Amino acid sequence: QVQLVESGGGLVQAGDSLRLSCAASGRSFSSYPMGWFRQALGKEREFVAAINWSGYSTYYADSVKGRFTISRDNAKNTVYLQMTSLKPEDTAVYYCASKRLSGNYYYASRYDYWGQGTQVTVSS
């Protein structure tokens, strides 16, 4: 069993920055890829970013590329999502997820554990 706890969400203005954190426990954190997804009200959950076990490889949705940065600290069992130049369309609940060892990084079905989510609201 894996527990994931997100933090760092909040209400910000367009153009601001925010950093989300996800603290993991329950299995060898450093062995597994991690990802961030988001779900806006009335929309499906969508991929935001992912990172491999070492942090060497990262993956981003086109909508956030150049603005968001995913990173991890395996010593702290924590993955981060640094968000800059935030836009109102970034408003959503953001979820941290732990990925299975195999499979595509972009599909939610490849992730087997999820956090409870943290709300990010960007006002215009």
Side-chain angles (χ1 to χ4, degrees):
Q1 194 73 10
V2 176
Q3 293 78 43
L4 302 172
V5 179
E6 301 98 334
S7 61
L11 172 63
V12 297
Q13 293 187 332
D16 284 353
S17 299
L18 206 57
R19 189 177 81 156
L20 305 183
S21 300
C22 172
S25 61
R27 73 178 176 187
S28 180
F29 174 80
S30 61
S31 298
Y32 292 86
M34 298 291 295
W36 287 95
F37 287 74
R38 67 186 182 187
Q39 187 167 18
L41 196 62
K43 296 187 177 181
E44 294 189 355
R45 190 169 299 190
E46 64 174 1
F47 170 80
V48 175
I51 189 167
N52 79 328
W53 68 272
S54 68
Y56 185 78
S57 298
T58 56
Y59 310 84
Y60 296 95
D62 288 342
S63 58
V64 307
K65 203 171 291 183
R67 299 188 299 121
F68 290 12
T69 302
I70 188 171
S71 62
R72 66 190 297 161
D73 185 338
N74 287 341
K76 294 183 179 180
N77 286 1
T78 302
V79 62
Y80 305 97
L81 185 68
Q82 178 68 49
M83 306 184 291
T84 63
S85 302
L86 282 162
K87 305 174 181 180
E89 50 263 45
D90 294 318
T91 295
V93 177
Y94 283 71
Y95 297 91
C96 168
S98 179
K99 185 184 169 299
R100 296 183 177 96
L101 291 177
S102 63
N104 192 295
Y105 280 84
Y106 299 91
Y107 298 147
S109 61
R110 303 313 306 164
Y111 293 77
D112 49 2
Y113 293 100
W114 295 81
Q116 81 290 348
T118 185
Q119 176 71 46
V120 172
T121 303
V122 184
S123 63
S124 57

